[in-house]
Amino acid sequence: MSAFLKFATGMDWISEKLGKIAGYAVLAASLISAGNALIRYGLDFSSNAWLEIQWYLFAATVMLGAPVVLRFNEHVRVDIIYGKLKGYGPVYVDLFGLIFFLLPVMGLFTYLTWPFFWNMWVTGEMSGNIGGLIRWPAALLMPVGFAAMFLQGVSEIIKRIAYLRGLIEMDTHYEKPVQ
């Protein structure tokens, strides 16, 4: 179990670094958006590249930020039963969801998006817009993000099993979001 916990610790570290990149992507997208608006309305000049880079940065925010959200247990969940469970109940529900939903879906999405990215890389596909960008960087974010989410899911499974075995402490507190 020690090697698995080291893997989980390493994956948690990677997810946090990806989360930092996602945070910088939000900042960059905001600054580019503001600059683009100023230039467009102030100087009556625009470029499709500036619009597209915002989309790419948003893709980076979502795809690279999702694993750290899972790592901090802040992901979206159906709260009909989960919030009422006590003791090990939430941990078992998490394990079920991670094993039977998250891992298969993230594995499938990684598998399906890799050829999509590869085709764009090989062909050098460009945006159809005048002045648009190459598309493969945005397409690469999909298999990378889904794979990182898959690996973070494995990390979460390892931590929950270790917690159930009494090998680690884990904060299982869950607070229902204010609606």
Side-chain angles (χ1 to χ4, degrees):
M1 193 70 184
S2 173
F4 289 120
L5 286 172
K6 285 181 182 177
F7 167 81
T9 302
M11 192 58 222
D12 290 352
W13 182 84
I14 290 169
S15 289
E16 287 186 36
K17 297 303 176 200
L18 291 175
K20 293 259 190 222
I21 293 169
Y24 289 125
V26 170
L27 176 62
S30 300
L31 293 173
I32 290 169
S33 178
N36 194 31
L38 287 171
I39 292 169
R40 173 179 279 173
Y41 296 111
L43 303 176
D44 198 28
F45 175 78
S46 184
S47 167
N48 286 327
W50 289 109
L51 296 172
E52 289 183 13
I53 196 67
Q54 292 173 65
W55 302 340
Y56 288 20
L57 290 167
F58 180 73
T61 301
V62 172
M63 298 308 294
L64 302 179
V68 79
V69 170
L70 179 63
R71 185 248 184 275
F72 288 126
N73 204 25
E74 295 291 332
H75 55 287
V76 175
R77 57 172 49 100
V78 179
D79 192 37
I80 297 169
I81 300 170
Y82 193 88
K84 295 179 175 123
L85 296 174
K86 303 291 181 225
Y88 291 137
V91 178
Y92 286 116
V93 169
D94 284 344
L95 280 171
F96 180 81
L98 290 164
I99 293 168
F100 292 106
F101 293 104
L102 182 85
L103 292 187
V105 171
M106 292 300 110
L108 178 65
F109 285 179
T110 303
Y111 174 77
L112 293 175
T113 57
W114 180 258
F116 179 72
F117 152 71
W118 188 251
N119 184 48
M120 285 188 182
W121 169 267
V122 170
T123 62
E125 184 174 330
M126 298 287 293
S127 168
N129 297 319
I130 295 172
L133 303 174
I134 55 173
R135 290 212 168 149
W136 69 261
L140 178 61
L141 288 167
M142 290 188 293
V144 167
F146 291 134
M149 193 68 171
F150 180 92
L151 293 172
Q152 187 60 46
V154 172
S155 171
E156 295 305 313
I157 290 168
I158 291 167
K159 290 185 285 188
R160 281 162 178 76
I161 291 171
Y163 172 73
L164 291 172
R165 289 180 159 187
L167 300 174
I168 64 169
E169 289 295 319
M170 200 169 118
D171 182 15
T172 59
H173 171 74
Y174 172 71
E175 189 172 321
K176 183 177 179 179
V178 178
Q179 304 282 335

